[in-house]
Amino acid sequence: MSILVTGGTGYIGSHTVVELLNENKEVIIIDNLCNSSKDVLEKIEKITGKKCKFYEADIRDEKALEKIFNENKIESVIHFAGLKGVGESVEIPLEYYDNNVYGTIKLLEAMKKFGCKKIVFSSSATVYGDPGTPKYVEEMGRGKASSPYGATKAVIEEMLENLYASDKEWTISILRYFNPIGAHESGLIGENPNGIPNNLMPYIQKVAAGELKELSVFGNDYDTKDGTGVRDYIHVVDLAIGHVKALEKLTKPGVYIHNLGTGCGYSVLDIVNTFERVNNVKVNYKIAPRRPGDLAMYYADPTKAKKELGWEAKRGIEEMCRDSWNFVKNK
């Protein structure tokens, strides 16, 4: 029996595929390569010594999904496929709803048709909105999302809950990520977005490598220790392991929601300064105005994941910064 990983050549997807293969799981990937590259497959094989079946297709393509489910015995799905730029989603909201929400509907329909009713969904801390406290606990529920991207994640979460309410055979894991950074220790896979990066670490990487002039730090007047925004940054390998744990532990039907974060908050300048120090490189930056919708500070309460999944983040900020730069040097 196989695990279907949607978006499996992407940043978090590829690292999760590595961890699944290391656990001797049979993995099938579907990815339309809109924000990733097919050469990731060779790198996964180089790291693990194992191949996985790959389909270049879009999850909105019903015929492609039918073909995949017909040709393989799929036991469960880990669902990463989706557009993920917060700023971009404000500019092209319809594309985000079409890709993320409609794509998930098509995927769930195919799963239902073929009797595959176990899914781990890649959600986000953005679904909390602004709960008025920096420490996010699962029981808070969903707030008002500050972007169309966050809204698509919230809609999908609710859709999955509705699905379980209608059919109690489903086992659904919703993993709310905080801020993944870092790369595999081999330096072979990491975050390498097409075009101008949306996220902090790939932007830092490109500035350090001389590909971009400087980093814009959006706001230095927040009520934080150095005035810059504070987030919970988590090493992507820790995050990937969280998916494997979710698959292992979630054996009974139901809807299970877990934060995947470290429980620690680091500011933008913490990340910049640590990156410079551990890698002995310079990262030029300028202070820019705050972005609409940005919060001063938030971080995970990861207690539930530790208790129920037996998972906790092991890697610290120095490893995150070192591994990120190691990936750039290996490209």
Side-chain angles (χ1 to χ4, degrees):
M1 299 291 274
S2 304
I3 300 161
L4 177 64
V5 180
T6 74
T9 60
Y11 177 42
I12 304 168
S14 61
H15 286 83
T16 302
V17 168
V18 165
E19 297 304 320
L20 290 168
L21 292 172
N22 285 341
E23 293 290 325
N24 295 314
K25 307 291 187 187
E26 193 175 320
V27 179
I28 297 160
I29 295 173
I30 175 174
D31 202 306
N32 66 3
L33 304 178
C34 76
N35 198 30
S36 61
S37 172
K38 198 172 181 178
D39 66 2
V40 168
L41 297 167
E42 294 172 20
K43 293 173 181 178
I44 290 171
E45 185 181 350
K46 191 170 181 181
I47 292 167
T48 64
K50 297 169 186 173
K51 284 189 174 183
C52 48
K53 195 181 285 190
F54 173 71
Y55 292 85
E56 184 177 343
D58 194 297
I59 58 168
R60 292 168 291 185
D61 184 339
E62 285 184 48
K63 288 183 178 177
L65 287 174
E66 289 240 347
K67 176 180 169 66
I68 293 168
F69 278 92
N70 269 318
E71 292 180 357
N72 305 277
K73 291 183 178 179
I74 296 170
E75 180 184 31
S76 54
V77 174
I78 302 181
H79 180 30
F80 295 106
L83 300 175
K84 63 173 187 175
V86 171
E88 182 185 65
S89 75
V90 175
E91 298 169 8
I92 52 169
L94 294 183
E95 283 91 333
Y96 270 68
Y97 281 97
D98 178 51
N99 193 93
N100 296 5
V101 178
Y102 178 70
T104 303
I105 290 171
K106 293 289 106 183
L107 175 66
L108 293 171
E109 285 176 347
M111 290 176 68
K112 185 176 179 182
K113 180 176 179 178
F114 287 89
C116 174
K117 296 184 178 181
K118 186 172 185 179
I119 185 169
V120 178
F121 171 59
S122 164
S123 192
S124 164
T126 57
V127 302
Y128 287 108
D130 182 3
T133 176
K135 189 175 183 178
Y136 290 4
V137 183
E138 291 89 346
E139 286 70 28
M140 287 174 173
R142 291 179 289 271
K144 179 173 174 52
S146 60
S147 69
Y149 162 75
T152 66
K153 294 294 187 183
V155 168
I156 294 167
E157 282 196 10
E158 191 160 354
M159 194 163 69
L160 289 166
E161 290 169 351
N162 294 158
L163 181 61
Y164 174 72
S166 72
D167 181 353
K168 297 294 195 293
E169 290 181 358
W170 283 84
T171 303
I172 296 167
S173 168
I174 293 170
L175 300 178
R176 291 175 177 164
Y177 306 167
F178 281 69
N179 292 66
I181 60 175
H184 192 268
E185 63 182 2
S186 66
L188 290 171
I189 57 173
E191 188 168 14
N192 189 28
N194 298 332
I196 300 294
N198 289 305
N199 298 330
L200 176 63
M201 185 55 80
Y203 215 107
I204 289 174
Q205 292 168 194
K206 285 185 180 292
V207 172
E211 295 176 37
L212 293 172
K213 180 185 174 185
E214 61 190 2
L215 169 74
S216 292
V217 176
F218 297 105
N220 67 342
D221 56 351
Y222 288 107
D223 185 17
T224 61
K225 65 177 183 177
D226 59 22
T228 64
V230 169
R231 300 290 182 265
D232 188 333
Y233 294 94
I234 176 174
H235 198 294
V236 66
V237 174
D238 282 329
L239 188 60
I241 291 168
H243 293 77
V244 179
K245 291 285 188 184
L247 270 182
E248 288 174 353
K249 297 290 183 179
L250 302 180
T251 55
K252 294 181 181 178
V255 179
Y256 305 90
I257 299 175
H258 296 94
N259 287 337
L260 294 185
T262 65
C264 301
Y266 297 107
S267 73
V268 174
L269 290 184
D270 280 335
I271 299 293
V272 171
N273 294 333
T274 303
F275 190 95
E276 288 185 328
R277 177 172 53 81
V278 301
N279 298 314
N280 195 29
V281 293
K282 180 67 179 168
V283 177
N284 297 315
Y285 69 87
K286 66 176 181 180
I287 304 300
R290 291 186 186 188
R291 290 181 301 190
D294 273 357
L295 301 177
M297 177 189 304
Y298 64 83
Y299 53 90
D301 181 341
T303 307
K304 190 179 176 190
K306 184 176 181 180
K307 181 180 177 184
E308 296 183 1
L309 302 181
W311 173 90
E312 62 181 328
K314 305 281 189 187
R315 294 157 181 82
I317 183 174
E318 291 191 355
E319 284 170 279
M320 299 179 205
C321 291
R322 192 177 292 117
D323 290 343
S324 295
W325 185 235
N326 187 41
F327 168 66
V328 173
K329 291 189 295 182
N330 273 279
K331 278 199 292 182

PDB file of all heavy atoms in Angstrom, residues 1-34:
ATOM      1  N   MET A   1       0.841  -1.202   0.000  1.00  0.00           N
ATOM      2  CA  MET A   1       0.000   0.000   0.000  1.00  0.00           C
ATOM      3  C   MET A   1       0.877   1.253   0.000  1.00  0.00           C
ATOM      4  O   MET A   1       1.906   1.296   0.667  1.00  0.00           O
ATOM      5  CB  MET A   1      -0.913   0.029   1.230  1.00  0.00           C
ATOM      6  CG  MET A   1      -1.881  -1.141   1.301  1.00  0.00           C
ATOM      7  SD  MET A   1      -3.151  -1.058   0.009  1.00  0.00           S
ATOM      8  CE  MET A   1      -4.369  -0.022   0.803  1.00  0.00           C
ATOM      9  N   SER A   2       0.434   2.255  -0.753  1.00  0.00           N
ATOM     10  CA  SER A   2       1.257   3.441  -0.967  1.00  0.00           C
ATOM     11  C   SER A   2       0.686   4.676  -0.279  1.00  0.00           C
ATOM     12  O   SER A   2      -0.503   4.742   0.051  1.00  0.00           O
ATOM     13  CB  SER A   2       1.368   3.729  -2.468  1.00  0.00           C
ATOM     14  OG  SER A   2       1.876   2.609  -3.157  1.00  0.00           O
ATOM     15  N   ILE A   3       1.577   5.657  -0.114  1.00  0.00           N
ATOM     16  CA  ILE A   3       1.186   6.979   0.376  1.00  0.00           C
ATOM     17  C   ILE A   3       1.313   7.944  -0.791  1.00  0.00           C
ATOM     18  O   ILE A   3       2.385   8.046  -1.411  1.00  0.00           O
ATOM     19  CB  ILE A   3       2.087   7.433   1.528  1.00  0.00           C
ATOM     20  CG1 ILE A   3       1.995   6.453   2.707  1.00  0.00           C
ATOM     21  CG2 ILE A   3       1.722   8.847   1.976  1.00  0.00           C
ATOM     22  CD1 ILE A   3       3.153   6.547   3.674  1.00  0.00           C
ATOM     23  N   LEU A   4       0.236   8.636  -1.132  1.00  0.00           N
ATOM     24  CA  LEU A   4       0.272   9.647  -2.186  1.00  0.00           C
ATOM     25  C   LEU A   4       0.621  10.990  -1.552  1.00  0.00           C
ATOM     26  O   LEU A   4      -0.040  11.435  -0.613  1.00  0.00           O
ATOM     27  CB  LEU A   4      -1.091   9.749  -2.884  1.00  0.00           C
ATOM     28  CG  LEU A   4      -1.210  10.827  -3.961  1.00  0.00           C
ATOM     29  CD1 LEU A   4      -0.278  10.560  -5.137  1.00  0.00           C
ATOM     30  CD2 LEU A   4      -2.663  10.944  -4.450  1.00  0.00           C
ATOM     31  N   VAL A   5       1.677  11.622  -2.058  1.00  0.00           N
ATOM     32  CA  VAL A   5       2.092  12.932  -1.555  1.00  0.00           C
ATOM     33  C   VAL A   5       1.844  13.961  -2.648  1.00  0.00           C
ATOM     34  O   VAL A   5       2.507  13.949  -3.693  1.00  0.00           O
ATOM     35  CB  VAL A   5       3.576  12.928  -1.137  1.00  0.00           C
ATOM     36  CG1 VAL A   5       3.980  14.303  -0.610  1.00  0.00           C
ATOM     37  CG2 VAL A   5       3.835  11.856  -0.077  1.00  0.00           C
ATOM     38  N   THR A   6       0.867  14.841  -2.437  1.00  0.00           N
ATOM     39  CA  THR A   6       0.601  15.903  -3.405  1.00  0.00           C
ATOM     40  C   THR A   6       1.585  17.044  -3.146  1.00  0.00           C
ATOM     41  O   THR A   6       1.868  17.383  -2.005  1.00  0.00           O
ATOM     42  CB  THR A   6      -0.846  16.426  -3.306  1.00  0.00           C
ATOM     43  OG1 THR A   6      -0.978  17.237  -2.130  1.00  0.00           O
ATOM     44  CG2 THR A   6      -1.857  15.289  -3.260  1.00  0.00           C
ATOM     45  N   GLY A   7       2.120  17.623  -4.219  1.00  0.00           N
ATOM     46  CA  GLY A   7       3.132  18.668  -4.033  1.00  0.00           C
ATOM     47  C   GLY A   7       4.425  18.101  -3.467  1.00  0.00           C
ATOM     48  O   GLY A   7       5.163  18.782  -2.759  1.00  0.00           O
ATOM     49  N   GLY A   8       4.728  16.862  -3.822  1.00  0.00           N
ATOM     50  CA  GLY A   8       5.850  16.157  -3.209  1.00  0.00           C
ATOM     51  C   GLY A   8       7.231  16.573  -3.663  1.00  0.00           C
ATOM     52  O   GLY A   8       8.224  16.150  -3.081  1.00  0.00           O
ATOM     53  N   THR A   9       7.334  17.406  -4.727  1.00  0.00           N
ATOM     54  CA  THR A   9       8.650  17.916  -5.106  1.00  0.00           C
ATOM     55  C   THR A   9       8.884  19.317  -4.558  1.00  0.00           C
ATOM     56  O   THR A   9       9.935  19.911  -4.781  1.00  0.00           O
ATOM     57  CB  THR A   9       8.844  17.924  -6.639  1.00  0.00           C
ATOM     58  OG1 THR A   9       7.849  18.760  -7.227  1.00  0.00           O
ATOM     59  CG2 THR A   9       8.766  16.525  -7.207  1.00  0.00           C
ATOM     60  N   GLY A  10       7.905  19.864  -3.844  1.00  0.00           N
ATOM     61  CA  GLY A  10       8.046  21.183  -3.234  1.00  0.00           C
ATOM     62  C   GLY A  10       8.924  21.155  -1.996  1.00  0.00           C
ATOM     63  O   GLY A  10       9.488  20.118  -1.627  1.00  0.00           O
ATOM     64  N   TYR A  11       9.014  22.284  -1.342  1.00  0.00           N
ATOM     65  CA  TYR A  11       9.929  22.455  -0.208  1.00  0.00           C
ATOM     66  C   TYR A  11       9.627  21.474   0.935  1.00  0.00           C
ATOM     67  O   TYR A  11      10.440  20.598   1.255  1.00  0.00           O
ATOM     68  CB  TYR A  11       9.845  23.899   0.273  1.00  0.00           C
ATOM     69  CG  TYR A  11      10.672  24.230   1.498  1.00  0.00           C
ATOM     70  CD1 TYR A  11      11.964  23.746   1.647  1.00  0.00           C
ATOM     71  CD2 TYR A  11      10.152  25.067   2.487  1.00  0.00           C
ATOM     72  CE1 TYR A  11      12.721  24.071   2.762  1.00  0.00           C
ATOM     73  CE2 TYR A  11      10.905  25.408   3.597  1.00  0.00           C
ATOM     74  CZ  TYR A  11      12.188  24.904   3.736  1.00  0.00           C
ATOM     75  OH  TYR A  11      12.929  25.221   4.847  1.00  0.00           O
ATOM     76  N   ILE A  12       8.464  21.583   1.524  1.00  0.00           N
ATOM     77  CA  ILE A  12       8.133  20.706   2.659  1.00  0.00           C
ATOM     78  C   ILE A  12       7.824  19.294   2.162  1.00  0.00           C
ATOM     79  O   ILE A  12       8.191  18.302   2.797  1.00  0.00           O
ATOM     80  CB  ILE A  12       6.950  21.287   3.454  1.00  0.00           C
ATOM     81  CG1 ILE A  12       7.253  22.713   3.908  1.00  0.00           C
ATOM     82  CG2 ILE A  12       6.652  20.415   4.672  1.00  0.00           C
ATOM     83  CD1 ILE A  12       6.063  23.469   4.442  1.00  0.00           C
ATOM     84  N   GLY A  13       7.183  19.204   1.003  1.00  0.00           N
ATOM     85  CA  GLY A  13       6.833  17.903   0.444  1.00  0.00           C
ATOM     86  C   GLY A  13       8.043  17.027   0.200  1.00  0.00           C
ATOM     87  O   GLY A  13       8.054  15.839   0.555  1.00  0.00           O
ATOM     88  N   SER A  14       9.104  17.590  -0.377  1.00  0.00           N
ATOM     89  CA  SER A  14      10.296  16.790  -0.692  1.00  0.00           C
ATOM     90  C   SER A  14      10.980  16.280   0.570  1.00  0.00           C
ATOM     91  O   SER A  14      11.444  15.133   0.621  1.00  0.00           O
ATOM     92  CB  SER A  14      11.275  17.600  -1.546  1.00  0.00           C
ATOM     93  OG  SER A  14      11.727  18.754  -0.865  1.00  0.00           O
ATOM     94  N   HIS A  15      11.039  17.109   1.596  1.00  0.00           N
ATOM     95  CA  HIS A  15      11.653  16.673   2.857  1.00  0.00           C
ATOM     96  C   HIS A  15      10.811  15.583   3.524  1.00  0.00           C
ATOM     97  O   HIS A  15      11.348  14.658   4.137  1.00  0.00           O
ATOM     98  CB  HIS A  15      11.825  17.866   3.799  1.00  0.00           C
ATOM     99  CG  HIS A  15      12.948  18.782   3.398  1.00  0.00           C
ATOM    100  ND1 HIS A  15      12.791  19.752   2.441  1.00  0.00           N
ATOM    101  CD2 HIS A  15      14.244  18.845   3.805  1.00  0.00           C
ATOM    102  CE1 HIS A  15      13.942  20.398   2.289  1.00  0.00           C
ATOM    103  NE2 HIS A  15      14.839  19.862   3.098  1.00  0.00           N
ATOM    104  N   THR A  16       9.497  15.683   3.381  1.00  0.00           N
ATOM    105  CA  THR A  16       8.621  14.656   3.954  1.00  0.00           C
ATOM    106  C   THR A  16       8.771  13.342   3.193  1.00  0.00           C
ATOM    107  O   THR A  16       8.784  12.264   3.800  1.00  0.00           O
ATOM    108  CB  THR A  16       7.157  15.137   3.949  1.00  0.00           C
ATOM    109  OG1 THR A  16       7.070  16.356   4.699  1.00  0.00           O
ATOM    110  CG2 THR A  16       6.234  14.101   4.569  1.00  0.00           C
ATOM    111  N   VAL A  17       8.887  13.419   1.873  1.00  0.00           N
ATOM    112  CA  VAL A  17       9.111  12.210   1.074  1.00  0.00           C
ATOM    113  C   VAL A  17      10.392  11.503   1.531  1.00  0.00           C
ATOM    114  O   VAL A  17      10.425  10.274   1.675  1.00  0.00           O
ATOM    115  CB  VAL A  17       9.175  12.548  -0.436  1.00  0.00           C
ATOM    116  CG1 VAL A  17       9.692  11.355  -1.238  1.00  0.00           C
ATOM    117  CG2 VAL A  17       7.801  12.962  -0.949  1.00  0.00           C
ATOM    118  N   VAL A  18      11.446  12.271   1.785  1.00  0.00           N
ATOM    119  CA  VAL A  18      12.702  11.683   2.273  1.00  0.00           C
ATOM    120  C   VAL A  18      12.467  10.925   3.584  1.00  0.00           C
ATOM    121  O   VAL A  18      12.919   9.780   3.749  1.00  0.00           O
ATOM    122  CB  VAL A  18      13.778  12.778   2.473  1.00  0.00           C
ATOM    123  CG1 VAL A  18      14.947  12.256   3.313  1.00  0.00           C
ATOM    124  CG2 VAL A  18      14.284  13.278   1.128  1.00  0.00           C
ATOM    125  N   GLU A  19      11.744  11.549   4.510  1.00  0.00           N
ATOM    126  CA  GLU A  19      11.506  10.896   5.800  1.00  0.00           C
ATOM    127  C   GLU A  19      10.625   9.653   5.654  1.00  0.00           C
ATOM    128  O   GLU A  19      10.827   8.653   6.350  1.00  0.00           O
ATOM    129  CB  GLU A  19      10.876  11.881   6.795  1.00  0.00           C
ATOM    130  CG  GLU A  19      11.763  13.075   7.140  1.00  0.00           C
ATOM    131  CD  GLU A  19      13.127  12.666   7.684  1.00  0.00           C
ATOM    132  OE1 GLU A  19      13.201  11.697   8.478  1.00  0.00           O
ATOM    133  OE2 GLU A  19      14.124  13.307   7.312  1.00  0.00           O
ATOM    134  N   LEU A  20       9.671   9.698   4.740  1.00  0.00           N
ATOM    135  CA  LEU A  20       8.827   8.521   4.490  1.00  0.00           C
ATOM    136  C   LEU A  20       9.641   7.375   3.903  1.00  0.00           C
ATOM    137  O   LEU A  20       9.508   6.219   4.311  1.00  0.00           O
ATOM    138  CB  LEU A  20       7.679   8.889   3.539  1.00  0.00           C
ATOM    139  CG  LEU A  20       6.589   9.794   4.096  1.00  0.00           C
ATOM    140  CD1 LEU A  20       5.697  10.311   2.964  1.00  0.00           C
ATOM    141  CD2 LEU A  20       5.728   9.059   5.134  1.00  0.00           C
ATOM    142  N   LEU A  21      10.500   7.699   2.937  1.00  0.00           N
ATOM    143  CA  LEU A  21      11.340   6.672   2.327  1.00  0.00           C
ATOM    144  C   LEU A  21      12.329   6.085   3.338  1.00  0.00           C
ATOM    145  O   LEU A  21      12.621   4.894   3.312  1.00  0.00           O
ATOM    146  CB  LEU A  21      12.087   7.245   1.120  1.00  0.00           C
ATOM    147  CG  LEU A  21      11.220   7.618  -0.091  1.00  0.00           C
ATOM    148  CD1 LEU A  21      12.055   8.344  -1.145  1.00  0.00           C
ATOM    149  CD2 LEU A  21      10.558   6.394  -0.710  1.00  0.00           C
ATOM    150  N   ASN A  22      12.810   6.937   4.237  1.00  0.00           N
ATOM    151  CA  ASN A  22      13.703   6.454   5.290  1.00  0.00           C
ATOM    152  C   ASN A  22      13.002   5.483   6.233  1.00  0.00           C
ATOM    153  O   ASN A  22      13.647   4.671   6.895  1.00  0.00           O
ATOM    154  CB  ASN A  22      14.275   7.624   6.090  1.00  0.00           C
ATOM    155  CG  ASN A  22      15.366   8.370   5.338  1.00  0.00           C
ATOM    156  OD1 ASN A  22      15.946   7.849   4.392  1.00  0.00           O
ATOM    157  ND2 ASN A  22      15.641   9.596   5.743  1.00  0.00           N
ATOM    158  N   GLU A  23      11.675   5.583   6.279  1.00  0.00           N
ATOM    159  CA  GLU A  23      10.869   4.661   7.091  1.00  0.00           C
ATOM    160  C   GLU A  23      10.355   3.490   6.254  1.00  0.00           C
ATOM    161  O   GLU A  23       9.440   2.771   6.668  1.00  0.00           O
ATOM    162  CB  GLU A  23       9.683   5.416   7.714  1.00  0.00           C
ATOM    163  CG  GLU A  23      10.071   6.469   8.749  1.00  0.00           C
ATOM    164  CD  GLU A  23      10.613   5.869  10.023  1.00  0.00           C
ATOM    165  OE1 GLU A  23      10.126   4.794  10.427  1.00  0.00           O
ATOM    166  OE2 GLU A  23      11.537   6.470  10.615  1.00  0.00           O
ATOM    167  N   ASN A  24      10.926   3.339   5.069  1.00  0.00           N
ATOM    168  CA  ASN A  24      10.584   2.233   4.152  1.00  0.00           C
ATOM    169  C   ASN A  24       9.128   2.253   3.680  1.00  0.00           C
ATOM    170  O   ASN A  24       8.538   1.206   3.410  1.00  0.00           O
ATOM    171  CB  ASN A  24      10.909   0.876   4.803  1.00  0.00           C
ATOM    172  CG  ASN A  24      12.396   0.719   5.034  1.00  0.00           C
ATOM    173  OD1 ASN A  24      13.210   1.007   4.165  1.00  0.00           O
ATOM    174  ND2 ASN A  24      12.757   0.263   6.225  1.00  0.00           N
ATOM    175  N   LYS A  25       8.564   3.450   3.566  1.00  0.00           N
ATOM    176  CA  LYS A  25       7.207   3.588   3.032  1.00  0.00           C
ATOM    177  C   LYS A  25       7.265   3.637   1.504  1.00  0.00           C
ATOM    178  O   LYS A  25       8.255   4.109   0.922  1.00  0.00           O
ATOM    179  CB  LYS A  25       6.540   4.868   3.556  1.00  0.00           C
ATOM    180  CG  LYS A  25       6.539   5.021   5.066  1.00  0.00           C
ATOM    181  CD  LYS A  25       5.633   4.034   5.745  1.00  0.00           C
ATOM    182  CE  LYS A  25       5.532   4.333   7.244  1.00  0.00           C
ATOM    183  NZ  LYS A  25       4.784   3.280   7.968  1.00  0.00           N
ATOM    184  N   GLU A  26       6.208   3.173   0.875  1.00  0.00           N
ATOM    185  CA  GLU A  26       6.101   3.277  -0.586  1.00  0.00           C
ATOM    186  C   GLU A  26       5.419   4.594  -0.913  1.00  0.00           C
ATOM    187  O   GLU A  26       4.292   4.848  -0.476  1.00  0.00           O
ATOM    188  CB  GLU A  26       5.274   2.106  -1.121  1.00  0.00           C
ATOM    189  CG  GLU A  26       5.354   1.945  -2.625  1.00  0.00           C
ATOM    190  CD  GLU A  26       4.620   0.713  -3.127  1.00  0.00           C
ATOM    191  OE1 GLU A  26       4.700  -0.345  -2.457  1.00  0.00           O
ATOM    192  OE2 GLU A  26       3.959   0.816  -4.167  1.00  0.00           O
ATOM    193  N   VAL A  27       6.104   5.440  -1.680  1.00  0.00           N
ATOM    194  CA  VAL A  27       5.642   6.810  -1.903  1.00  0.00           C
ATOM    195  C   VAL A  27       5.370   7.070  -3.377  1.00  0.00           C
ATOM    196  O   VAL A  27       6.146   6.677  -4.247  1.00  0.00           O
ATOM    197  CB  VAL A  27       6.685   7.823  -1.384  1.00  0.00           C
ATOM    198  CG1 VAL A  27       6.226   9.257  -1.645  1.00  0.00           C
ATOM    199  CG2 VAL A  27       6.950   7.622   0.104  1.00  0.00           C
ATOM    200  N   ILE A  28       4.260   7.743  -3.629  1.00  0.00           N
ATOM    201  CA  ILE A  28       3.903   8.214  -4.973  1.00  0.00           C
ATOM    202  C   ILE A  28       3.728   9.726  -4.894  1.00  0.00           C
ATOM    203  O   ILE A  28       3.075  10.232  -3.976  1.00  0.00           O
ATOM    204  CB  ILE A  28       2.598   7.560  -5.462  1.00  0.00           C
ATOM    205  CG1 ILE A  28       2.788   6.040  -5.593  1.00  0.00           C
ATOM    206  CG2 ILE A  28       2.140   8.156  -6.782  1.00  0.00           C
ATOM    207  CD1 ILE A  28       1.493   5.280  -5.592  1.00  0.00           C
ATOM    208  N   ILE A  29       4.301  10.440  -5.842  1.00  0.00           N
ATOM    209  CA  ILE A  29       4.229  11.904  -5.849  1.00  0.00           C
ATOM    210  C   ILE A  29       3.405  12.379  -7.030  1.00  0.00           C
ATOM    211  O   ILE A  29       3.556  11.899  -8.146  1.00  0.00           O
ATOM    212  CB  ILE A  29       5.638  12.530  -5.948  1.00  0.00           C
ATOM    213  CG1 ILE A  29       6.469  12.206  -4.706  1.00  0.00           C
ATOM    214  CG2 ILE A  29       5.553  14.044  -6.158  1.00  0.00           C
ATOM    215  CD1 ILE A  29       7.927  12.653  -4.823  1.00  0.00           C
ATOM    216  N   ILE A  30       2.525  13.356  -6.763  1.00  0.00           N
ATOM    217  CA  ILE A  30       1.889  14.124  -7.835  1.00  0.00           C
ATOM    218  C   ILE A  30       2.264  15.582  -7.626  1.00  0.00           C
ATOM    219  O   ILE A  30       2.158  16.111  -6.508  1.00  0.00           O
ATOM    220  CB  ILE A  30       0.357  13.942  -7.885  1.00  0.00           C
ATOM    221  CG1 ILE A  30      -0.256  14.864  -8.961  1.00  0.00           C
ATOM    222  CG2 ILE A  30      -0.294  14.179  -6.535  1.00  0.00           C
ATOM    223  CD1 ILE A  30      -1.746  14.658  -9.199  1.00  0.00           C
ATOM    224  N   ASP A  31       2.734  16.239  -8.688  1.00  0.00           N
ATOM    225  CA  ASP A  31       3.123  17.648  -8.602  1.00  0.00           C
ATOM    226  C   ASP A  31       3.039  18.248  -9.998  1.00  0.00           C
ATOM    227  O   ASP A  31       3.447  17.600 -10.969  1.00  0.00           O
ATOM    228  CB  ASP A  31       4.547  17.782  -8.056  1.00  0.00           C
ATOM    229  CG  ASP A  31       4.819  19.145  -7.438  1.00  0.00           C
ATOM    230  OD1 ASP A  31       4.592  20.162  -8.122  1.00  0.00           O
ATOM    231  OD2 ASP A  31       5.265  19.191  -6.279  1.00  0.00           O
ATOM    232  N   ASN A  32       2.525  19.481 -10.086  1.00  0.00           N
ATOM    233  CA  ASN A  32       2.461  20.127 -11.401  1.00  0.00           C
ATOM    234  C   ASN A  32       3.706  20.980 -11.684  1.00  0.00           C
ATOM    235  O   ASN A  32       3.794  21.621 -12.735  1.00  0.00           O
ATOM    236  CB  ASN A  32       1.187  20.970 -11.535  1.00  0.00           C
ATOM    237  CG  ASN A  32       1.158  22.159 -10.592  1.00  0.00           C
ATOM    238  OD1 ASN A  32       2.105  22.423  -9.846  1.00  0.00           O
ATOM    239  ND2 ASN A  32       0.050  22.896 -10.602  1.00  0.00           N
ATOM    240  N   LEU A  33       4.655  20.989 -10.732  1.00  0.00           N
ATOM    241  CA  LEU A  33       5.942  21.679 -10.875  1.00  0.00           C
ATOM    242  C   LEU A  33       5.811  23.185 -11.075  1.00  0.00           C
ATOM    243  O   LEU A  33       6.699  23.819 -11.647  1.00  0.00           O
ATOM    244  CB  LEU A  33       6.761  21.061 -12.032  1.00  0.00           C
ATOM    245  CG  LEU A  33       7.028  19.557 -11.950  1.00  0.00           C
ATOM    246  CD1 LEU A  33       7.797  19.086 -13.185  1.00  0.00           C
ATOM    247  CD2 LEU A  33       7.777  19.187 -10.686  1.00  0.00           C
ATOM    248  N   CYS A  34       4.712  23.773 -10.585  1.00  0.00           N
ATOM    249  CA  CYS A  34       4.535  25.219 -10.768  1.00  0.00           C
ATOM    250  C   CYS A  34       5.484  26.010  -9.866  1.00  0.00           C
ATOM    251  O   CYS A  34       5.791  27.163 -10.157  1.00  0.00           O
ATOM    252  CB  CYS A  34       3.089  25.633 -10.516  1.00  0.00           C
ATOM    253  SG  CYS A  34       2.601  25.690  -8.782  1.00  0.00           S
TER     254      CYS A  34
END
